Structures are given as C-alpha cells and as structure tokens.
Amino acid sequence: MQFKVTRLSLLISGLFIAASPLVHAADTSNVGKVTVQGDNGGQSTGLIQQEESAKARSSVNRDYMDKQSTTSNPFQMINLLPGVNSYDTDGTGLFGGNIRVRGFNSDQLGFTINGAPVNDSGSFAVYPQEYTDAENLCDIFVTQGSTDTEAPHVGATGGNIGMTMCTPEDQRRFRTEYTFGSNSLWKAYVRLDSGKLFNDRFKFFVSYSKTQADKFKGDGRADKEHVDFNSKFDLGGGSFVDTGFMYNSALNNNYRSLTKAQIAQYGRNLDFGTVPPIHQPGGPGAQNDSTYGPNAGINTGNKDLYYGYNLNPFKNWLGTMNAHFQLAPQSSIDVNPYMWYGFGTGANQLQTVSEGNSGTLLGGGVRDANGDGDTKDTVFVYEGSRTRTYRPGVTLKYNQQIDNHKLMVGYWYERARHQQTGPFAPIDNNGNSADVWQNNSDAWLRNQDGSFVQYRDTLTVSTGKSAFVQDNISLMQDKLNLQLGARYSSIDRDLTNNPSQSAPGFYTLQKSYSDLLPSVGIRYQLDQVQSVFFNAAKNFKAPGNFSYFGLISGGKFVNGVYTGGTVRNPLVDKETSWNYDLGYRYASDKWTFSGSLFYVDYKDRIATSYNPDTGNRTDFNVGDSTSKGFELESGYSLTKNLSLYGSLSYIKSKMKSDMPFAANFALPTGGKEFPDTPNWLSGMSLQYAQDSWYLFGQAKYTGKRYTTLVNDDSLGGYTVFNAGAGYTFPSSTWLKKPTVRFNLSNIFDKQYLNLSSGSGSQFTTNAVAIGPNAPASAPSFYVSAPRTFSVTLVADF
C-alpha cells in the first residue's frame, strides 16, 4: 500500500492532531446527555453536526448553504463531507453532475426530499439540478454505507442522502434576491412567508425563481424555472401536518464529453458543432443527408453533432406530506404520502431515419420523410430519450415508547409507471425541430401502416414495497443505546415492449427482486463528550429497467410485423452489500470530531459496460468485491470568530474475480480497483465571521482513480480552491437585512478531468485492446470548469 502525502491532506491531519481529545480533557465530566454551549463545537461553518446515531452520518445545515452560490445543487453542497466524491459539469450546478460515496455511485444511493424518494424509478439515476432551490433547503445529510431502516428504497446498497425543506418563518416576510456572475449567469428569486395564521396554527411559504447561464465552452445555455411551497399546520396536542410542493422546468444544452485523444488533438474547449445539418434536396433516386457534402463532419471530427440537438428538456414536480398524529404521550402514527411526476427528453437528438416501403420492414417501413414523393432516402431527424413517469407512494409508521424501548413498525408502498419512447420529428435547414419537447404527436414520423416511428417504446410498472420494524433500546441511563432493525423490501418490474426500431417484436417480462435486510447499531457514551458506535446493515439494489430493453432477436418480418423472435433473459441479478462501521465521536464546546473505520462486502455488484455479444450497453454483475477504509471529519473553533473544518477519507476497493464478458472470455478484473473511486479524499474550510460580515476559503483534494474496469487508464489527483464573503448592511424602515454575497470557485483555474460514467455506474471495460474479444474503447471525460464567480444581492421587506 502506497500513501501519497499532499499539502492539503497534511494540513487536515494537523487539524485532527492539534484538536485531539487530550487537549480538551478538562471539558469532560460524568453527566448524562451531551449539552454543548459556547463556541458550538466548531459547527459555525455549518459543515459538521453533533450526531447521536449509531452509524456513520454527516450533514450540512442552513448556516453553510446560506454562504454558497444560490445556484449550487445538493451534490456541490456536500462535496467537502467525508467519503463524498462529487463533481458538477460547469461550476454553477445548473447542468448536473455526479456523486459517489465510499465508491457507491449515485444510482446505488437512496435520495429523498422530505422523506420521498427522488431516484429515477427505472434506472435509479439522480439529477441534482431538478429538485429544489438552494435557498429553501435547511439540511442535507449523508449516511455513508448503511441505509436507514424506514428508507423508501429498493436501489440503495450504499446509504442515504436526504434533503429537508425549511419550515416557513414565524413572521410575515417577503424576500427578494438577485444573483449574477460568470458566463452571463443570472438568477431572480422571490419568496413570501405568510407568518403565523389562524390563531398561530398555520404558516406557509411560496417561492419562485428563474435562472439562466451560458455554457463556459461551446454554444448553448441552461434555462430553469422553479417553484417551491411548504406549509405547516399545527393540529394541537403534538399533531401536525406538513406539506411540500416542488416544480421544476428546465431546457439545457448538454456539454460534450471528450476522450484523452480528442483533448490532445482538438483541445479542452472542443464541444458540439455550431452549424446545423441541412437536408439534401429531394428528388428522384436516393438522397442521404449524412453523406451530403455540406454536412461533412457532422457525425465525425471536431464538428461532431449540432449543439441545438444536444438538449435535456425536462419538467417535474413532487408533492409531499408528513402527517404526524400524536395518539398518546407514548404513541404516534406518521402518514407520509407523496407523488412524483416527470416528463422530458434528452441525450443526442441528431439521428437519421431511413425511409422504406416493404413488408420486410417494421410497420412496412418509414413513410416519405422529406416530401420528395419516394421512400428511398436517409434523412436527418430529431429523436431522443422521451420519458414520462407517474410515481405515487406512501409510508406508514407507528411509533410506541414502552419503558426503555422505542418501537417503530411501518410499511412503504409505491407504484411507478415509467413510459419510455423515442419518437422522430422533422427538422429544418435552420436547426429548428418540429417538436423540441417531443410532446406533439402530430409532428412525429409514421410508418406505412400508420404507427409511429419509435427508437424504443416501453412501459415499466415498478411496484416497490417494504415492511420494516425497529427497536431503539436505551440502557444504563442512556449511556448505552442499542438499535435493532429489519426490513423486507421487494420490487416487481412488469415491462411491456412494443415494437420499435431497437426491439421490433412485442414482448412482456416480469421480474421480482426481494431481500430481508437486517441491521444493528450500538452507541456507547463514554462520558459527556465522547462516544463510540458500531453499525452493521445489509442493503440491496434491483437491476435498472434498461436491463430488459432489446431482448428479442432471431425473428423475421412478415407484412411489416416481426414474428418468431426469441426473448433472452436479462444478464443481471440484484446486488447486495453488508456495510460495517466502527466509529468514535468527540463533542465539546470548541471541537467536534467524528471518525469511523468501514468495511463493505458486495455480492454480485452491478456495473454497466458494452456487451460485444448484443452490441449495446448492458448491466453486468461484475462479481463480488470489497471496499475498506476510514473517514474522519472535524470542526474546531480556533477563536470565537474563526472556525476550521476538515475531512479526510481513505478507501481501497477490490474486485475479487474476473468478469465474464464475451462468449468464452472473461475480463481480467480480479484484484483490480473499482473505477472512479479515489483512494484519498480530503476537504477543508476556514471561516472568519464577525458581526455583519464573514469570509471563508475552501479546498478539496481528489486523489488518483482508475477509469476502466481493468484499471488500464487512470486520472491523477488534483486540488480545487473556492472562496466566499458576505456583508449585511443595517436595516432601514422598509428594507431589512440587505446583504451582498460573493462566491469564487476554482480560484486558481485548476484544469482536471471527471469521468463521464453516464447517470449510472457505466464504465468502459478497457482502454487498451485485450485481443479480439475486447477491443480498445477509450473512456470519455468532462473537462473542469474554469474560474467562475457569482454575486448575490438579497433583502427582506
């Protein structure tokens, strides 16, 4: 094992040593529960909380988020926490990004907002730019490794990330905010808080924002509108009903990912082309837009594809409710219904379609698409991954206190309808599509038999269920806490595949996955400020529904209908993991510390890569693997005004065996590390706050990581520095707390690369050819955003 010492890691290690428990030994005394006063234990940065759970858990609160750029997404907000490896595509947070925690990818983590799951119901992917406005979030927590017993997930082998909206203010307030910055960034935000109404029993807030920003390279921009609503109704006697609603509409151009060879040849600023494709004039004979002279380079080289057809239009809304009914002092019921809706498209929409008129083609072939009177042409069209999802669900919990036992029993149920199609719409010579949102069926191309031309046409109905029970036992006057839990989780997937270009035959498929998931947590309070904990929990993840696409082959077309095909079984099964944590915490008036050793034992871990036998990207069980390491975080109040936060993480992952790949061939993955899992991560934040102003600096080190499953390509480590400052002016009779904030990211314009692994765990198998069964396939990367800034003006009325 080799250890590479960086300046940042050395500095953070000094923080942990300088603030060791021996320094604060005089603060300890043998009393019951921890009560911290004074300097907030280094928590004034908002980056560390004094946790009491019997598992590894980290979080950020409103104090921290309030000082970050207002366009930041949740991945950026938690980037400094231990075990977290995240990136955003452009620095603003508007174009998304990805996250891994302890090497678990975003589609292996359970994400919730106000307790409602927001992972994609089909693939479990996460799109952080869609959820909430940062101004309305009060808490983001991460449980590294162990998923909570009551968590509404069937795709989380690596823990939870939860977001909680702020409670409405008690006093009536109207807040206005305006942000501007690099790359023509601007955001306008307004929020109304009602204050307490109806005998102080009800209050709400509603906010609206509109945000735009240009891409830092290439043409295109992000355009986003967002609405948030939250309310609290006090029913009396400890009962209440909280409701939330979030709406988001975005139309973003994509950034182009690049291989290392493309970067070397064309430079880091290579992006999608700016010249729209044009149609070859129609006429007798066959025309082909893709080989038409003026379109040369549209599909290859540095003109590759038109930026106007690399879009991600998407709308979604989420409604949540938390109804808590206090039946008696020792018993209560929680009813938490939710509804998620999403619609949109994405990916590269510049595609070609070939006309035809024959019974040996699906639907008899594509009708005349360019209007020249024949069906002999290959025509450029607009086509993308169209998705519509309806996802209602509910969690029911009964809570009962019996002596020293705090019991919880509950049930979670949801039924998601996930329709995924790929219609084709005409485009003109000026780069305009007849249907950018792919929601106008009158504009779609049709086959000879009148059916729509579709790249794909599937409906997945996913029914998720969990029955769970937990007993939280307080012993030895709460010095010892024992938490025993179990849940039985299952998901039933019912897929209907209608005939399409990629899967021409009709078929249905039913798959069910389930597992019993026990957990045990032990926390022992050594004294007022010191505690130790141990946690063990089993998690599982069902395969994504993409595993069921394109499974039919071997048939033939008769009068435009595909007959006689054989439906293959999916190549992937569920993955499971056992997560173990052994940790220590220290919480005094000046210093808060948390550290844990962890070990993760995977069975049948899932990854996505290219399958040479089927010619597409497919989920594989890459076999058993392990991950082990440690995580440290610490917050220290150097003075009343000066606070320091640091995190340090180490992980070593290992795949245990070679991965079956092509026929009679296995990839040499045994003993290799899982891609995009840096051995070392470290973060630091130094903040000075006094009266009406503050100033902070941050740094994040990301270590070397491999980019392929066979570890034949890698990325070196890098450190990124950010900073921010703010000042609040005196209030006037009509203007309250006018504040200006400044944020600067990537101060030293550091250049680095982030692996483009899609929205899930998609990896290139090998960058160097391993014989004919595994030819070279170069991984692609997003280049780092340059130095960017934002300025925010905010005031209440």
Side-chain angles (χ1 to χ4, degrees):
M1 184 182 299
Q2 294 181 341
F3 295 87
K4 183 178 180 180
V5 178
T6 67
R7 295 190 190 99
L8 182 61
S9 297
L10 190 61
L11 192 59
I12 292 172
S13 299
L15 166 65
F16 296 126
I17 295 171
S20 66
L22 293 178
V23 176
H24 300 284
D27 294 332
T28 64
S29 59
N30 292 320
V31 299
K33 204 167 183 177
V34 176
T35 301
V36 178
Q37 299 177 343
D39 293 326
N40 296 317
Q43 298 175 77
S44 58
T45 60
L47 277 163
I48 187 169
Q49 321 305 319
Q50 295 181 356
E51 307 286 355
E52 293 185 348
S53 64
K55 63 179 66 175
R57 191 179 190 275
S58 302
S59 61
V60 300
N61 63 20
R62 187 69 235 157
D63 289 341
Y64 177 77
M65 291 184 278
D66 210 31
K67 299 180 180 68
Q68 308 307 304
S69 172
T70 61
T71 64
S72 298
N73 65 52
F75 289 180
Q76 294 170 291
M77 292 294 187
I78 61 176
N79 186 44
L80 294 182
L81 298 183
V84 174
N85 174 29
S86 72
Y87 74 85
D88 68 288
T89 309
D90 80 319
T92 67
L94 297 173
F95 292 86
N98 198 32
I99 191 170
R100 299 185 189 278
V101 178
R102 290 187 180 176
F104 290 102
N105 190 68
S106 57
D107 64 348
Q108 296 171 299
L109 303 166
F111 284 77
T112 59
I113 298 178
N114 296 342
V118 293
N119 297 72
D120 184 274
S121 64
S123 66
F124 305 115
V126 181
Y127 305 99
Q129 71 274 26
E130 296 176 356
Y131 299 141
T132 73
D133 269 331
E135 295 91 338
N136 300 328
L137 284 176
C138 270
D139 178 73
I140 306 175
F141 69 84
V142 181
T143 56
Q144 298 100 332
S146 298
T147 304
D148 294 331
T149 301
E150 70 272 30
H153 304 302
V154 286
T157 42
N160 303 84
I161 294 180
M163 294 158 272
T164 306
M165 291 181 69
C166 294
T167 300
E169 297 290 319
D170 289 340
Q171 303 297 321
R172 184 180 297 117
R173 184 187 72 175
F174 182 70
R175 169 160 291 184
T176 61
E177 180 183 278
Y178 186 79
T179 299
F180 63 91
S182 303
N183 303 310
S184 302
L185 167 70
W186 66 266
K187 177 179 180 178
Y189 167 92
V190 292
R191 169 171 158 166
L192 172 65
D193 282 85
S194 68
K196 291 184 176 182
L197 304 171
F198 309 126
N199 296 321
D200 295 342
R201 298 180 66 179
F202 179 73
K203 57 183 178 178
F204 72 88
F205 79 75
V206 60
S207 70
Y208 169 82
S209 69
K210 184 170 178 60
T211 313
Q212 288 185 357
D214 292 339
K215 292 166 56 179
F216 70 82
K217 68 167 187 171
D219 284 11
R221 69 181 189 185
D223 194 337
K224 173 181 176 179
E225 287 187 276
H226 193 88
V227 175
D228 281 340
F229 169 85
N230 199 20
S231 70
K232 188 176 184 67
F233 184 35
D234 186 356
L235 300 175
S239 299
F240 59 85
V241 176
D242 291 346
T243 57
F245 181 82
M246 292 136 273
Y247 169 81
N248 195 79
S249 177
L251 182 58
N252 288 9
N253 291 97
N254 299 326
Y255 279 93
R256 181 178 176 180
S257 60
L258 305 171
T259 65
K260 290 181 178 179
Q262 288 174 319
I263 294 172
Q265 183 176 0
Y266 301 112
R268 297 169 57 88
N269 288 327
L270 175 65
D271 205 71
F272 297 110
T274 58
V275 179
I278 62 175
H279 295 302
Q280 184 175 4
Q287 286 82 47
N288 189 331
D289 285 348
S290 63
T291 59
Y292 184 44
N295 292 329
I298 287 292
N299 289 315
T300 58
N302 61 354
K303 288 176 63 179
D304 192 13
L305 310 176
Y306 176 52
Y307 85 94
Y309 300 150
N310 275 274
L311 297 171
N312 184 29
F314 205 81
K315 297 179 181 180
N316 58 279
W317 59 263
L318 171 66
T320 66
M321 177 182 288
N322 178 17
H324 178 80
F325 303 102
Q326 196 70 39
L327 305 178
Q330 304 298 323
S331 60
S332 63
I333 291 177
D334 290 291
V335 182
N336 307 130
Y338 60 88
M339 175 65 185
W340 195 95
Y341 170 81
F343 170 77
T345 179
N348 165 42
Q349 284 95 339
L350 178 58
Q351 304 292 341
T352 59
V353 65
S354 297
E355 303 168 345
N357 191 352
S358 170
T360 60
L361 299 172
L362 177 64
V366 179
R367 291 178 181 176
D368 183 9
N370 61 354
D372 67 351
D374 63 34
T375 54
K376 301 177 180 179
D377 309 317
T378 299
V379 182
F380 274 134
V381 291
Y382 181 96
E383 181 275 326
S385 302
R386 181 181 186 269
T387 301
R388 189 188 300 274
T389 303
Y390 297 90
R391 188 181 185 182
V394 63
T395 300
L396 305 173
K397 293 188 293 185
Y398 175 73
N399 310 285
Q400 180 68 53
Q401 183 82 41
I402 304 175
D403 295 329
N404 62 331
H405 294 263
K406 186 176 181 180
L407 297 170
M408 176 182 66
V409 180
Y411 186 74
W412 165 70
Y413 177 89
E414 77 164 26
R415 182 177 176 84
R417 291 175 55 86
H418 200 63
Q419 184 183 40
Q420 295 171 283
T421 55
F424 295 77
I427 59 176
D428 65 22
N429 288 341
N430 295 316
N432 300 309
S433 169
D435 184 16
V436 171
W437 282 83
Q438 294 186 314
N439 200 31
N440 178 15
S441 59
D442 292 338
W444 300 347
L445 300 183
R446 293 180 181 265
N447 293 309
Q448 299 291 346
D449 64 0
S451 61
F452 292 119
V453 183
Q454 303 263 29
Y455 171 74
R456 64 180 187 181
D457 187 359
T458 67
L459 173 64
T460 307
V461 178
S462 301
T463 304
K465 294 170 283 187
S466 284
F468 54 87
V469 60
Q470 180 175 285
D471 187 7
N472 199 312
I473 310 169
S474 176
L475 302 168
M476 301 170 61
Q477 296 182 328
D478 204 32
K479 290 191 67 174
L480 176 63
N481 182 270
L482 178 63
Q483 183 173 288
L484 304 175
R487 62 187 172 110
Y488 184 80
S489 297
S490 66
I491 182 172
D492 301 321
R493 296 241 200 233
D494 295 311
L495 174 92
T496 300
N497 182 89
N498 295 303
S500 66
Q501 301 292 321
S502 61
F506 174 86
Y507 65 89
T508 60
L509 192 69
Q510 292 80 40
K511 289 290 182 179
S512 296
Y513 308 91
S514 61
D515 213 332
L516 177 64
L517 307 172
S519 64
V520 58
I522 304 171
R523 176 185 57 81
Y524 183 74
Q525 197 73 35
L526 299 172
D527 53 36
Q528 181 187 10
V529 296
Q530 298 183 87
S531 64
V532 292
F533 65 90
F534 171 79
N535 181 266
K538 185 181 182 183
N539 303 321
F540 100 106
K541 175 190 172 182
N545 69 323
F546 284 106
S547 305
Y548 313 138
F549 291 5
L551 295 180
I552 192 166
S553 61
K556 62 180 180 179
F557 290 100
V558 178
N559 297 324
V561 178
Y562 189 82
T563 60
T566 301
V567 180
R568 303 184 305 275
N569 283 322
L571 298 175
V572 63
D573 201 352
K574 67 181 181 183
E575 72 174 14
T576 61
S577 68
W578 271 98
N579 295 265
Y580 304 91
D581 289 285
L582 178 62
Y584 168 83
R585 294 189 180 111
Y586 185 91
S588 71
D589 59 347
K590 291 183 178 295
W591 184 50
T592 300
F593 169 84
S594 178
S596 62
L597 301 172
F598 66 85
Y599 179 81
V600 184
D601 187 14
Y602 294 93
K603 300 295 182 185
D604 298 319
R605 185 166 182 176
I606 297 173
T608 303
S609 61
Y610 182 77
N611 182 355
D613 291 337
T614 61
N616 59 11
R617 298 189 70 86
T618 306
D619 278 353
F620 289 90
N621 293 110
V622 298
D624 299 344
S625 64
T626 60
S627 295
K628 56 186 175 181
F630 64 83
E631 293 162 348
L632 309 173
E633 68 172 334
S634 178
Y636 185 55
S637 295
L638 299 171
T639 68
K640 179 180 180 180
N641 305 108
L642 185 63
S643 298
L644 183 64
Y645 171 85
S647 67
L648 182 65
S649 309
Y650 175 79
I651 184 173
K652 190 74 170 180
S653 64
K654 181 179 180 182
M655 290 180 276
K656 292 184 178 181
S657 58
D658 292 346
M659 185 182 90
F661 190 56
N664 301 314
F665 177 77
L667 288 171
T669 56
K672 303 297 194 302
E673 294 188 43
F674 222 78
D676 207 20
T677 305
N679 294 139
W680 289 99
L681 292 166
S682 53
M684 175 174 281
S685 178
L686 181 64
Q687 174 185 288
Y688 186 88
Q690 181 174 350
D691 299 328
S692 57
W693 64 277
Y694 68 85
L695 176 70
F696 71 83
Q698 297 175 350
K700 177 64 182 284
Y701 172 76
T702 303
K704 175 184 175 182
R705 64 265 192 228
Y706 293 103
T707 64
T708 67
L709 287 169
V710 300
N711 292 180
D712 61 354
D713 185 74
S714 63
L715 294 172
Y718 63 92
T719 304
V720 176
F721 295 86
N722 304 323
Y727 182 81
T728 300
F729 296 90
S731 299
S732 65
T733 55
W734 60 276
L735 194 64
K736 300 176 182 178
K737 297 182 178 179
T739 301
V740 58
R741 300 191 185 105
F742 176 76
N743 291 89
L744 185 63
S745 64
N746 197 4
I747 297 173
F748 302 110
D749 207 16
K750 180 69 175 179
Q751 294 189 352
Y752 54 93
L753 300 176
N754 291 304
L755 181 64
S756 172
S757 56
S759 58
S761 302
Q762 299 180 3
F763 297 117
T764 298
T765 55
N766 50 293
V768 179
I770 308 177
N773 288 306
S777 178
S780 61
F781 307 91
Y782 289 111
V783 302
S784 57
R787 181 189 305 111
T788 57
F789 77 91
S790 67
V791 177
T792 299
L793 308 174
V794 57
D796 296 341
F797 296 88

